[in-house]
Amino acid sequence: MTATAGRRLPAFDIATFFRRNSRRIIAPVVALFIALVIWQIFSSVTQSLPGPIQVIQETWDPWIICPFFVGDESFGLNGLQGGDVGLGWQTIASLIRVAIGYSLASIIGIIVGVIIGISPLLYQAVDPMFQVLRTVPPLAWLPIALAIFKDSGPAGIFIIFVTAIWPIIYNTAVGVQQMPQDYKNVAKVLRLSGKEYFFSILLPSIVPYMFTGLKLGIGLAWLAIVAAEMLRGDTGIGFYIWNAYNSGALSEVILALVYIGLVGFMLDKLVGFAATLVSSDK
Amino acid sequence: MAFLEVDHVDRVFPLPNGAKYIALSNIELKIQRGEFISLIGHSGCGKSTLLNMIAGLDRPTAGGIVLEGRQATRPGPDRMVVFQNYSLLPWLTVRQNISLAVDKVLSTLPKGERRGIVEHHIDMVGLRNAADKKPKELSGGMKQRVAIARALAIRPKVLLLDEPFGALDALTRGNLQEQLMAICEESQMTCVMVTHDVDEALLLSDRVVMMTNGPEAHIGQILEVPIPRPRRRMEVVNHPSYYALRSEIVYFLNQQKREKKRKSVQKVAIARHGLEKINLEIGFVPLTDCAPLVVAKEKGFFARHGLEEVNLSREPSWKAIAEGVATKRLDGAMMVAGMPLAMTLGFGNKVPLPMTTAIVLSRNGNAITLDDRLYEAGVQNLDDLKAAIDCTPDKVHTLGVVHSTSMHNLMLRYWLATSSIDPDQDVSLAVIPPAQMVANLIANNIDGYCAGEPWNSRAVYENLGFVIATDLDIWPGHPEKVLGVREEWANEYPETHLALVKALLEACEYCDDRRNREEILELLCQPQYVGSAPEYTRPGFIDPYTCVHGEEPRILLRFNQFYVDQTNCPRQTESLWILTQLARWGITPFPRNWIEVLERTHRLDIYREATRQLGLPTAEPDRDPFQLFDGKIFNPDDPIGYLNSFEIHRPLKIEEIILDAIEKATP
């Protein structure tokens, strides 16, 4: 099978699709249903949490049916500041922050990874330091980030950056170290220049490792953003959760959790999809 | 000047514990333009290291690689490598992989021309349909073809191949070998290939370089492959020298394997019973006339004389016997009668190695077998053969002999020459180990051979050939097999040598008692000895001898003679005849000091002492002139006159062989 044929979408036929995948669809639906039933029973017994039915009732309008509503038209999108906008907007605000921090982490992480991958000396020099820094939880960076940037916006981006960068650095470095000697020999025999070597041999050969790092990185970044926004934020989905909690709207909190889970899941798939596009040959 | 020269290269790897591992030592190899060289050896012999050094991917510790007179110190596209695991870049298509190399190396050419080169090479390896596929979509054979195309496209001066077909199935390998051969012939490319496949090396190479085991691996032997080009995979095996070359390489590799084993269990001489050494390695070749050795071992004659740990080592060829004794792997061996003499004189460009013999183990026992087709064409005797050869001038008749110094070779040549058949010009003689004669006859590689039993009777028994003459028809009672040891060994272990001769004398006596022959036959037919079927081992040894399948057998009581008629006495006059024949055919020079050579190579004193101690009759050898079947008198007092009286001979060389200088030169 060729790569092009693999990507081509077959004519979609719901009946056939369902017949083929019935088990893959029915099983999760049944599991979800059972989980909801248990939750409902649990909440009706303890009375501390709203049950699923109650959550849907309380958040149906406007949160579920209209994710992009704006509470106060006169504020426009600035209404974000007050939290009186749809969950879609809040998510987008978080995503923008993640995009900036993650992009920075990717660029710098890959560069640093390649450098320490090429030089065993540098790798040995920085490895202990990076190993220690790597284990620091995202939230522990917050005070430092605030002290540096004096503002929650850049601070949030910094936390994302500092959380996502380690797996990117390490996986890239491993990719460089694991590069088969054969490729290097080909480059040597052909006498490729440094630039030619970097772009036509080194970079393509580490793509699979790089994307492993990028995939781990996006997961961590998404974990970090919620935490950062919850503590010190004025926009974003984390802020929304904290705001809703403070207003005692637990149903909204639960809805936001579902949002976060779904978005995180989709981000992961997105990076995975990008990886298959770039390195479809490995 | 050589095109590519590996100039005294050493490669030493430092070990983590500070010691050094000498992988390669003093590799010296000159390669001509357009030559195809194979490097063959066991794994770990450093053949890939050598290839990498030629490529410049590894640096020699000492010495250098010289390409067209200039030292090559770093890798470059003039020495392109086809790596073992293809080394294609997986993210590029077939075309892109080739283009990457072409665009870089031939960057001076215009773009269109470069494109043309890429497309030409894609077509050349037949990958037009896969040009846009990536390596993971290709089979192993296709990947290797891409790698070859990539290498050839940049027009290297030298193509280096590291086990290029190792991972491929047999069919793909065969096809690729032929393709590579065609491409190399077309472009006159110089190639160096690492391989462990003997047939591949023979098919592709002009020369096969055989490497010894590491550490300190070096070139053990270089074998020329004289098979004419263009070669075809299915046809090279029919070339008369193919199996001889093949067995040469296989023998080398096996010997290296044994050497490795021997190094791990270094044997020490065990002295006991007043003997200096009772653990002996004695070499033999699977033939009926190895019977005295087998009997001495199995019937306890060795043990009776204190030699409690004698191991009989079954050797694949006479060459292996000669090398085994020369390299001290074997203490002694059953040898063809001319071998100790020729080794002492240094035949085959080897350093002369003084050898000695104190006992003849057998006389007679050989025959000349010809292909059945010659019988059907009416060949019944030597004159018919001469006529058959004369009337088919286009066909080269190839005859097999077992070793250039064996009686088979000398007597076959003598026999042919009496009928004015020049054994080097009218026919072609090929050296083939005895056990492989029948197989070569079946494959039509040879038209006949002179060998010991049971290999003649086997051809007769299987109706493949017929015996045109036995040695009873040529020289009845000639010395055939002797016990050969190094002179140095005989001087170092005199009591052991004497005990060995005594044990073998008794064994020979036992062998010639015809009541014991059935029992000996059973011993010989065991797989660790000759391992042949009794049906075709019996003729001559026990039963009457059948010369032609279906004809009345002849009663030849002296066909295998082990004891009677002073069989065991090493007579100098007979050896002198051998010396004349070795010189006649240019195998060794004739020693001007032949008396000294004969005295040194024949330990009559030990033979006399052995017979005296055993109470056997000792008869002094006579010095009378004798004659072979043609009636030509050999006078042992005038060997040079005898030598000069032959019409057919090679240029004669008469030299003084200084044996003491040899001794000093080889401490």
Side-chain angles (χ1 to χ4, degrees), chain B residues 544-561:
Chain B
Y545 194 83
T546 312
C547 287
V548 181
H549 190 82
E551 280 192 7
E552 190 60 34
R554 289 151 67 186
I555 297 169
L556 302 174
L557 286 176
R558 292 285 171 89
F559 188 76
N560 288 109
Q561 185 182 328

Side-chain angles (χ1 to χ4, degrees), chain B residues 269-280:
Chain B
I270 304 171
R272 208 180 287 163
H273 309 302
L275 303 179
E276 301 90 349
K277 189 176 188 213
I278 59 140
N279 53 331
L280 301 180

Side-chain angles (χ1 to χ4, degrees), chain A residues 1-3 182-183 185-186 188-193 196 200-201 204-205 280-282, chain B residues 57 74-77 80 83 85 87-91 100-101 104-105 134 136 150 154:
Chain A
M1 191 182 73
T2 64
D182 293 336
Y183 301 170
N185 284 345
V186 169
K188 278 189 200 164
V189 170
L190 296 178
R191 293 204 180 143
L192 295 183
S193 68
E196 287 165 331
S200 45
I201 307 258
S205 84
S280 60
D281 39 46
K282 191 71 181 188
Chain B
L57 295 168
R74 66 187 193 111
M80 185 62 189
F83 296 96
N85 32 14
S87 294
L88 300 178
L89 304 179
W91 54 89
L100 176 75
K104 171 65 192 166
V105 178
K134 291 190 174 165
K136 67 159 186 187
R150 179 178 63 181
I154 60 170

